């Protein structure tokens, strides 16, 4: 087969791979909060409700961080979008009224710091509630870092109004906006697109050498 024909074949394959990527739908992932602990906080499991169940207590003025069960294997950039946080409070010190809180999505890095990229505030009751972090900024979870969720008890009323976050089954979880990759490593569609670009480049170079 001539070099020119090889170039044409490579370019055709690249176009076919791009078409395959275009047919792949966007990805939405959910992380379920658990009572399992790790260095830096608790663990949230991607698409898995089998983590330790129970309650995670947050004191007045305190906060708890949930880290994704795996750190990123490559740099992954989440787009601007809405993150939904579903939580359930089991109890609180004080009256049966709701307790003020703030939930923040962001990045936890190797220096044990949490960087929030979007937040929502509200009042937690004993029923399951869903809050939306509107238009969280685009952010990158670099290789070795963790996607993380922080919940802070922001109560200012008198008394030690601590509360417990229920972590049984699907009681509390966070859902990301749609992306074209999976965390902690890109899915096949992203890899295919990268490969298609390489094939197209090789085909173009081969064609230029023959022309």
């Amino acid at each position: 087969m001539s070099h020119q024909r090889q170039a044409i074949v490579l370019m055709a394959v690249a176009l076919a791979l791009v078409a395959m990527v275009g047919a792949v739908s966007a990805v939405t992932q959910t992380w379920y909060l658990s009572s399992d602990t790790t260095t830096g906080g608790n663990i949230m499991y991607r698409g898995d409700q089998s983590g330790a169940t129970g309650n995670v207590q947050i004191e007045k003025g305190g906060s708890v961080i949930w880290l994704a069960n795996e750190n990123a294997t490559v740099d992954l950039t989440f787009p601007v979008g809405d993150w939904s946080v579903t939580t359930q409070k089991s109890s609180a010190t004080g009256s049966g009224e709701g307790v003020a809180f703030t939930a923040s999505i962001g990045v936890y890095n190797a220096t044990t710091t949490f960087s929030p990229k979007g937040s929502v505030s509200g009042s937690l009751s004993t029923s399951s509630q869903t809050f939306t972090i509107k238009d969280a900024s685009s952010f990158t979870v670099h290789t070795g870092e963790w996607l993380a969720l922080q919940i802070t008890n922001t109560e200012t009323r008198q008394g030690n109004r601590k509360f417990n976050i229920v972590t049984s089954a699907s009681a509390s979880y966070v859902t990301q906006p749609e992306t074209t990759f999976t965390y902690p490593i890109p899915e096949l569609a992203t890899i295919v697109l990268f490969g298609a670009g390489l094939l197209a480049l090789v085909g173009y170079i081969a064609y230029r050498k023959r022309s």
Side-chain angles (χ1 to χ4, degrees):
M1 184 182 293
S2 67
H3 289 292
Q4 185 173 358
R5 187 169 297 177
Q6 287 178 348
I8 293 173
V9 170
L10 284 171
M11 294 177 70
V13 171
L15 290 173
L17 290 173
V18 171
M20 288 170 58
V21 172
V24 176
S25 59
V27 177
T28 299
Q29 298 178 103
T30 298
W31 284 265
Y32 295 92
L33 310 191
S34 80
S35 296
D36 290 326
T37 59
T38 185
T39 302
N42 286 64
I43 302 174
M44 58 182 185
Y45 292 93
R46 179 173 63 91
D48 183 1
Q49 301 178 25
S50 63
T53 62
N55 299 294
V56 176
Q57 189 173 95
I58 305 179
E59 299 284 345
K60 179 181 178 180
S63 62
V64 172
I65 296 174
W66 277 266
L67 280 66
N69 58 303
E70 298 175 278
N71 56 12
T73 57
V74 295
D75 290 356
L76 297 173
T77 300
F78 289 92
V80 173
D82 297 344
W83 294 71
S84 67
V85 180
T86 298
T87 57
Q88 184 174 343
K89 173 178 69 66
S90 67
S91 62
T93 299
S95 68
E97 299 174 356
V99 179
F101 85 107
T102 295
S104 303
I105 196 70
V107 180
Y108 187 88
N109 62 34
T111 59
T112 65
T113 58
F114 174 74
S115 301
K117 304 302 179 181
S119 301
V120 62
S121 297
S123 180
L124 285 177
S125 70
T126 53
S127 60
S128 179
Q129 297 168 277
T130 298
F131 301 87
T132 301
I133 300 175
K134 295 289 292 181
D135 296 325
S137 61
S138 175
F139 64 93
T140 299
V141 181
H142 296 286
T143 303
E145 296 180 336
W146 289 263
L147 175 70
L149 175 74
Q150 181 183 66
I151 296 181
T152 302
N153 183 334
T154 57
E155 265 298 328
T156 57
R157 291 176 292 181
Q158 291 184 345
N160 182 22
R161 294 178 178 271
K162 59 188 176 183
F163 60 81
N164 296 321
I165 294 294
V166 180
T167 58
S168 57
S170 60
S172 301
Y173 54 91
V174 57
T175 302
Q176 69 171 61
E178 289 185 342
T179 62
T180 56
F181 61 83
T182 55
Y183 179 99
I185 188 169
E187 65 171 7
L188 181 60
T190 303
I191 297 171
V192 167
L193 183 58
F194 179 72
L198 287 179
L199 282 173
L201 179 61
V202 170
Y204 176 75
I205 292 173
Y207 175 77
R208 291 284 295 176
K209 283 184 177 181
R210 296 295 299 172
S211 61

